[in-house]
Amino acid sequence: MDTAMTQRKVVTIDGPAGAGKSTVARQLAHRLGWSFLDTGAMYRVVTLVALEAEADLENDHVLVEITDTIQPRFVDGHVFVGDRDVSAEIREPRVTRAARYAAGNPGVRERLVHWQRAAAEFHDLVTEGRDQGTIVFPDALVKFFLEASDEERAMRRFRELIAKGHDIEYEEILADQRRRDQEDRTRAIAPMLPAEDARFIDSTGKSLEEVLDEMTRVIHPLLTSITGE
Ligand code: DC
């Protein structure tokens, strides 16, 4: 398939949950003046709608049908289904736990990949997920794989959930995260993998600014060489 014809400039950021992909991608997009795509939110929104419909998540066909009926909108970091802002709901632990069904469903993935490529038709894009550099945008300008230690990632998630009022143990989050990492890595379809030409960045102990500076140092010379700016 030729995605290069219509595709604008794309920077991909893949990696495990909690490495800071979302914040980094949003801020990097802001620095570059590009759009930002949180592809995990797409799997989450399908999952939320399926949970609310009490659908059988293991039934591939049902999840695909749901994906075909919803037309979520992603606006300024918010996610809408119809007029309803579901940005908070899609982050709930019940959605996080159940998202693996949508993520492992080939029909759902095919449709979401289509949404993701469509987003790059008209805008330069910083996109984050698991398969952005490997499958969705193999011709991306730069592909990052953002990591952090298990403990730091779990601690970030713990603080986030506690701040939202959830009653949850750090150990539980760490164990849950390890299980989900393993599922993401070993999934039959689109497993979480660094692209062959990915640049690894470890955000453990680094500030957001440090990570952004590291990325910008890679991107700018490439941009200059293609735009001559
Ligand atoms: O990054 P996140 O935690 O919001 O991702 C939610 C779920 O979607 C998680 O199970 C991983 C999956 N996912 C995926 O399979 N491919 C992507 N490009 C993004 C997320």
Side-chain angles (χ1 to χ4, degrees):
M1 198 200 62
D2 188 358
T3 50
M5 291 289 288
T6 48
Q7 202 175 299
R8 311 270 305 234
K9 291 188 283 299
V10 175
V11 168
T12 61
I13 306 178
D14 290 306
K21 297 189 304 289
S22 214
T23 313
V24 167
R26 183 175 287 119
Q27 291 299 325
L28 183 64
H30 182 72
R31 273 194 187 189
L32 293 167
W34 295 6
S35 295
F36 153 68
L37 200 62
D38 170 358
T39 63
M42 297 180 172
Y43 292 92
R44 286 172 179 276
V45 83
V46 171
T47 305
L48 175 71
V49 174
L51 285 174
E52 289 184 341
E54 295 182 17
D56 176 4
L57 297 171
E58 292 186 36
N59 183 327
D60 280 5
H61 182 66
V62 168
L63 275 192
V64 168
E65 251 181 35
I66 288 176
T67 309
D68 281 339
T69 51
I70 57 172
Q71 289 180 329
R73 289 174 300 120
F74 302 87
V75 188
D76 294 336
H78 285 256
V79 184
F80 294 87
V81 177
D83 289 337
R84 183 174 155 220
D85 185 344
V86 295
S87 316
E89 279 98 329
I90 62 166
R91 305 276 157 217
E92 284 173 5
R94 67 187 175 117
V95 176
T96 305
R97 275 194 298 271
R100 67 192 168 98
Y101 294 103
N105 182 314
V108 172
R109 292 207 80 92
E110 189 187 311
R111 284 156 176 80
L112 268 47
V113 166
H114 180 75
W115 295 357
Q116 292 154 21
R117 290 192 180 133
E121 274 187 29
F122 303 107
H123 305 279
D124 294 331
L125 198 65
V126 179
T127 177
E128 62 101 336
R130 306 291 189 284
D131 58 346
Q132 299 299 288
T134 47
I135 290 176
V136 187
F137 297 108
D139 301 325
L141 178 70
V142 185
K143 302 170 189 173
F144 292 107
F145 197 81
L146 187 64
E147 298 174 297
S149 72
D150 288 2
E151 291 75 12
E152 181 153 329
R153 292 192 286 124
M155 186 49 77
R156 288 177 190 164
R157 179 92 184 123
F158 174 67
R159 292 208 182 103
E160 209 178 286
L161 289 173
I162 293 293
K164 285 182 188 159
H166 289 275
D167 177 20
I168 197 153
E169 299 284 328
Y170 165 78
E171 291 301 333
E172 192 188 326
I173 292 179
L174 183 62
D176 228 54
Q177 177 187 276
R178 287 195 167 133
R179 190 180 43 73
R180 285 192 294 116
D181 283 352
Q182 180 68 5
E183 279 166 10
D184 272 346
R185 277 196 207 101
T186 55
R187 180 169 59 217
I189 175 168
M192 171 177 71
L193 279 176
E196 270 179 26
D197 50 349
R199 293 158 196 266
F200 287 82
I201 297 190
D202 189 331
S203 70
T204 313
K206 287 184 192 151
S207 69
L208 173 61
E209 287 303 308
E210 284 173 311
V211 174
L212 288 171
D213 287 347
E214 215 171 314
M215 289 183 167
T216 309
R217 276 197 296 274
V218 174
I219 297 167
H220 269 157
L222 291 168
L223 277 183
T224 310
S225 72
I226 58 171
T227 63
E229 284 163 14

